């Protein structure tokens, strides 16, 4: 399920750590609408390592980047949200609809949830799709604690190898044995236009990649990646893609 939401700003400046602000709004909406769902998603012990099967991306027209802020002249941010699970999609829509028009004070700004639109999804029938990034793809190598976490670019062979390891784990978590069996036939081709970008996230610079990526896989796997996002930290606003 895909949605587009207008977020209206009282002033034109947002910090570069913008995904953190959007995630704060999402958590506020989820918790005010359904505490049980919010607790399961973010507060339970198991939730810290639980893979989120949704992602989001932001669109800011004619924005300008300064050292610490993003200047948005029209004071409007478009939040694009995508979820694989119907439950996540319905919870997102209902919670934001419930909070529509309410003002939220976040980081020296007041943000109001405006118009919401259901975005038509593209069906996948073939076993090959070219995805383009709407938000950067993160390849995270996690060594057990935050001090042993590294981020890699898809430009490198090492980054691509770790990307495949992470993908295998994700598909196993979602689809079980079926996902593991069909993972063996997956082929990933990184387009020559892929490039590394640094994104501030919770105070640190995360190395990530934007561009196009071609994936050959079973249609149900491609559908999952299209809806849930690609890579790590999807629930924090990374890895949202569209079909070329």
């Amino acid at each position: 399920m895909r949605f587009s939401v207008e977020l209206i700003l009282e002033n034109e400046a947002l910090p570069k750590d913008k995904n953190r602000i959007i995630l704060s709004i999402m958590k506020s909406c989820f918790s005010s609408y359904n505490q049980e769902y919010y607790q399961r998603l973010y507060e339970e012990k198991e939730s810290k390592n639980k893979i989120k099967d949704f992602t989001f991306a932001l669109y800011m027209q004619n924005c300008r980047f300064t050292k610490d802020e993003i200047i948005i002249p029209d004071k409007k941010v478009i939040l694009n949200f995508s979820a694989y699970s119907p439950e996540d999609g319905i919870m997102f829509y209902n919670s934001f609809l419930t909070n529509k028009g309410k003002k939220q004070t976040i980081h020296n700004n007041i943000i109001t949830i405006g118009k919401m639109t259901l975005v038509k999804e593209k069906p996948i029938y073939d076993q090959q799709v070219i995805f383009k990034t709407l938000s950067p793809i993160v390849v995270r190598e996690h060594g057990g604690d935050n001090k042993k976490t590294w981020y890699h670019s898809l430009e490198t062979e090492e980054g691509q190898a770790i990307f495949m390891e992470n993908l295998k784990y994700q598909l196993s978590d979602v689809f079980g044995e079926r996902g593991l069996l069909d993972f063996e036939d997956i082929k990933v081709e990184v387009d020559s236009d892929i490039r590394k970008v640094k994104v501030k996230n919770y105070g640190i610079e995360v190395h990530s990649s934007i561009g196009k990526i071609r994936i050959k896989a079973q249609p149900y796997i491609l559908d999952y990646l299209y809806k849930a996002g690609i890579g790590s930290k999807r629930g924090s606003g990374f890895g949202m893609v569209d079909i070329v």
Side-chain angles (χ1 to χ4, degrees), residues 126-182:
D126 298 327
Q127 295 189 14
Q128 177 175 290
V129 168
I130 298 176
F131 294 111
K132 65 177 180 180
T133 55
L134 299 180
S135 56
I137 295 174
V138 169
V139 179
R140 182 174 65 174
E141 182 182 3
H142 195 51
D145 58 60
N146 290 332
K147 294 180 180 179
K148 296 181 180 179
T149 297
W150 296 270
Y151 295 96
H152 300 268
S153 168
L154 280 172
E155 294 175 299
T156 67
E157 290 185 8
E158 183 181 17
Q160 293 174 26
I162 294 169
F163 171 83
M164 293 300 291
E165 290 178 14
N166 292 345
L167 178 59
K168 183 178 183 179
Y169 174 79
Q170 291 168 357
L171 295 180
S172 172
D173 183 69
V174 177
F175 300 110
E177 188 67 24
R178 181 190 183 195
L180 284 175
L181 289 172
D182 288 333

Side-chain angles (χ1 to χ4, degrees), residues 80-161:
N80 296 299
F81 176 88
S82 177
Y84 177 73
S85 162
E87 180 190 22
D88 289 333
I90 291 169
M91 284 294 181
F92 176 87
Y93 179 81
N94 288 345
S95 65
F96 270 69
L97 188 64
T98 300
N99 287 275
K100 184 178 179 181
K102 294 181 181 179
K103 299 181 182 296
Q104 301 196 41
T105 302
I106 300 177
H107 198 87
N108 300 321
N109 211 327
I110 296 176
I111 301 176
T112 306
I113 297 173
K115 183 175 66 175
M116 296 183 62
T117 306
L118 175 65
V119 179
K120 186 177 180 180
E121 293 177 328
K122 300 173 183 178
I124 296 176
Y125 303 111
D126 298 327
Q127 295 189 14
Q128 177 175 290
V129 168
I130 298 176
F131 294 111
K132 65 177 180 180
T133 55
L134 299 180
S135 56
I137 295 174
V138 169
V139 179
R140 182 174 65 174
E141 182 182 3
H142 195 51
D145 58 60
N146 290 332
K147 294 180 180 179
K148 296 181 180 179
T149 297
W150 296 270
Y151 295 96
H152 300 268
S153 168
L154 280 172
E155 294 175 299
T156 67
E157 290 185 8
E158 183 181 17
Q160 293 174 26

Side-chain angles (χ1 to χ4, degrees), residues 15-26:
K16 282 189 174 179
D17 203 344
K18 59 190 184 304
N19 285 12
R20 185 175 186 174
I21 289 176
I22 301 304
L23 192 54
S24 178
I25 293 173
M26 288 173 57

